Structures are given as structure tokens and as C-alpha cells.
Amino acid sequence: MADLVNELVWSHSRSKAFAGCKRAYWFNYYGSWGGWDAAAPTDVRDAYVQKKLTTRAMWTGTVVHQVAEDALRRVRDGDAPRPVEQVVAAVRNRARREIAESLDGSWLARPARRVGFREHYYQEDVPPESWEAAILEIERQAHVLWEHRLFRRLQAVPGRIRELEDLRRFPVDGVDVYVALDVLVDDGRGGVVILDWKTGDNHDGADIAAQLGVYGLYATQQLGVPADRIVAMHVNLRHDTETRHPVGAAEIEAARSTIATSTASMRERLADVAGNLALPEAHPPLPVGDPACATCTFRGICGRR
Ligand code: SF4
């Protein structure tokens, strides 16, 4: 297999990481590169392992997204939907196993495939009932999903589902961009509906709108959907709410502009743009004592435990 090349490919999440601590961004996209190899230098391996850490809130989102994806993939493949009770029972078993593997450290044998929690890795003081509460929240959101009118509609017309968490890469003004839409579905009238599941408490409306704008850019440029035929919705499964976002020419142009500005800022810090060479000294840490360090996934390798 050819060696993997570390390229600067823009994504909404990369842009958000860059907007925060520059050293954390560097660990995420450069300092951990190659750390999937257990024989990598210790600092690279540590950065990679810490990059893989999750939290109860992030894990809730990951599991619920996988539940939604699996269910829709199943009906799209022509299989009958599974009853929610069956899904929830499987999720509960999986959740307990993942928590146990994180707690006993066995996840470290395969950090790319297993789940490790920051709470365990950094020995945070989390009462046992908080883990049970996280599992119950996943189960509750699975029930909300199953009852949601849009999820039911998707299960009724699975042939219209065009994309399900598929990672896509496409060029925008001199940089490649990654997107992975939760769901993209034909509306049956020449347009598309983009659906985004949210599972958390603190989602920022402007951030969601920006992300959906990038998806709109993808739909127009790569799928040829007219800008006025795109509807974007985010469904918050924690609060059982749905919000429609405008994604038209203005939002798509804003996304294009954000990609250009953010990419230029990322490149400005590179020692070699063509080789995508980034040095840590060009990506400084936050000042000592910054509150963000207390919960940062890289606080171990960064010396801010
Ligand atoms: S611990 Fe603080 S300074 Fe270090 S990477 Fe994280 S946020 Fe940045």
C-alpha cells in the first residue's frame, strides 16, 4: 500500500479546530500523524491516542448517529426495519462493553477501533451513575429518533436516500474539501433535503448554519442541485426539535468565502505550503491557566494535565 500523505484538506471541523488553540490544531492534524502505528515515536503515538479520546457527550452523539445510519442503511438495502427495542438492547450491550474497555485500558491495544474516554484516561472524578445516565440518554434519543416524523418518512421512502454519512472530497477554489452528510435525500421534485442529527445541549445556531452552507455548496457544485431547491434541516434528538435553515445562493457564497479565508490562514502558518509542513512553534499553545486546557483532549502531551 502506498504511504499515506498528509494533505491539507479543508473541513468544517478542521476550520473550527483552527479557530481554537493552534497547538491543539497542530496535535490533531500534524503532531499525531503516523501515530496509528504502535511503533511510532512516543510523542506521536501519545498525540494520536489522545486525539482518539472521546467524552460521554461526544460518544452519545457518535452512537446515536451510528444507530440512525445503520437503521437507514438497512431499509435502503431492502431489509425490514428493526424494532426500536431490539436496537436499544444492542446499543446498551455495546455501550457497557465500550465503557468497560475504556476503564480497564484494553482499548489502547486498538485505539482506532475501540473507544477510550477522557474521563478514564485523565482519571476524572465521574460517579458511576453518570455513566448509567449517559447510556440512558442514548436509549432515550434512539426512541426519539424512531418516533420522529422525518426518520419515519425516510424509512417509508428509502429509495430516495442518496447519501448516508458518505465521506466526499471535492475541490473549492484551490483546496479540497471533505463533507459527510448525515442524510441527503431526494425530495421527489428535483431538489434535495439535507438532514443533520444533533444530540447535544449546546449547539450554536450560527455554527450549524455555516456547516449546512458547506453542504449546500457540495450539493450545488457536485450534485448539480439548483441552490433554490435545497432544504436543510437539523433535528435535535436531545430536545426533540427540528429547525429549518435557509441554504440558498447567499449561504453557499458565504461557505465558499469561509473556506477561502480559513484555508489562507492555515497555509500562512505552514513552513512549506506545497509539502504541508507544519511546525509546532508556528502553532503556539494557549496561555498557561487558560480554562480550555482543563478539558482539552491533548492536555497530557501538552504538559497541562
Ligand atoms: S492543553 Fe491547552 S494549550 Fe495545550 S493543546 Fe490543549 S488547549 Fe492548547
Side-chain angles (χ1 to χ4, degrees):
M1 195 173 88
D3 282 347
L4 288 172
V5 176
N6 190 354
E7 298 174 89
L8 197 166
V9 180
W10 191 92
S11 66
H12 181 71
S13 55
R14 183 173 190 144
S15 165
K16 276 174 63 176
F18 185 77
C21 170
K22 298 296 181 283
R23 180 60 56 88
Y25 166 82
W26 182 83
F27 282 134
N28 207 337
Y29 292 96
Y30 299 95
S32 58
W33 182 259
W36 51 81
D37 183 346
T42 306
D43 54 342
V44 175
R45 180 68 173 175
D46 285 352
Y48 178 76
V49 164
Q50 289 170 27
K51 168 182 170 162
K52 290 291 174 189
L53 293 169
T54 189
T55 63
R56 280 165 294 155
M58 291 160 65
W59 174 67
T60 299
T62 303
V63 176
V64 172
H65 274 79
Q66 284 172 354
V67 162
E69 180 189 346
D70 290 349
L72 294 175
R73 204 171 288 287
R74 183 180 169 89
V75 291
R76 195 177 64 170
D77 290 347
D79 294 324
R82 291 167 76 197
V84 67
E85 292 76 17
Q86 212 180 84
V87 172
V88 163
V91 161
R92 192 180 307 132
N93 288 337
R94 167 191 165 172
R96 295 223 160 99
R97 175 177 45 79
E98 290 182 344
I99 292 170
E101 286 176 350
S102 170
L103 181 61
D104 69 15
S106 57
W107 80 283
L108 286 164
R110 301 186 74 192
R113 297 209 167 259
R114 295 186 186 162
V115 174
F117 288 94
R118 285 183 210 172
E119 291 92 327
H120 294 141
Y121 188 86
Y122 289 119
Q123 299 174 345
E124 294 172 11
D125 194 13
V126 179
E129 56 269 26
S130 296
W131 293 101
E132 194 54 33
I135 296 174
L136 288 174
E137 179 59 23
I138 291 172
E139 294 179 13
R140 194 185 67 78
Q141 293 198 24
H143 280 284
V144 171
L145 179 70
W146 249 249
E147 293 302 317
H148 199 280
R149 69 172 189 96
L150 291 171
F151 185 73
R152 286 175 169 258
R153 179 69 185 144
L154 289 171
Q155 286 196 313
V157 290
R160 287 202 188 155
I161 299 173
R162 289 176 67 170
E163 304 212 2
L164 263 181
E165 304 269 7
D166 302 302
L167 184 64
R168 305 293 189 203
R169 177 172 169 160
F170 66 107
V172 179
D173 302 332
V175 67
D176 278 5
V177 171
Y178 278 136
V179 289
L181 283 63
D182 289 350
V183 189
L184 182 132
V185 57
D186 275 326
D187 68 3
R189 301 182 301 278
V192 294
V193 178
I194 295 168
L195 272 176
D196 202 43
W197 313 118
K198 298 291 182 201
T199 61
D201 239 339
N202 301 314
H203 292 294
D204 169 2
D207 178 55
I208 293 173
Q211 183 182 28
L212 292 172
V214 177
Y215 294 170
L217 175 59
Y218 167 73
T220 50
Q221 181 177 308
Q222 297 304 109
L223 307 180
V225 181
D228 60 354
R229 305 309 306 269
I230 300 171
V231 170
M233 310 275 301
H234 95 255
V235 175
N236 187 309
L237 297 168
R238 183 173 292 263
H239 300 303
D240 198 5
T241 56
E242 58 182 76
T243 309
R244 186 177 168 129
H245 293 264
V247 175
E251 288 77 19
I252 290 168
E253 205 38 53
R256 188 183 285 282
S257 164
T258 298
I259 292 167
T261 311
S262 153
T263 303
S265 302
M266 291 172 190
R267 285 178 175 158
E268 263 172 28
R269 288 180 184 265
L270 294 177
D272 170 17
V273 173
N276 190 29
L277 176 64
L279 302 176
E281 49 268 36
H283 297 80
L286 295 175
V288 173
D290 192 289
C293 299
T295 54
C296 174
T297 198
F298 295 112
R299 62 192 189 265
I301 185 78
C302 194
R304 303 267 177 106
R305 246 175 212 269

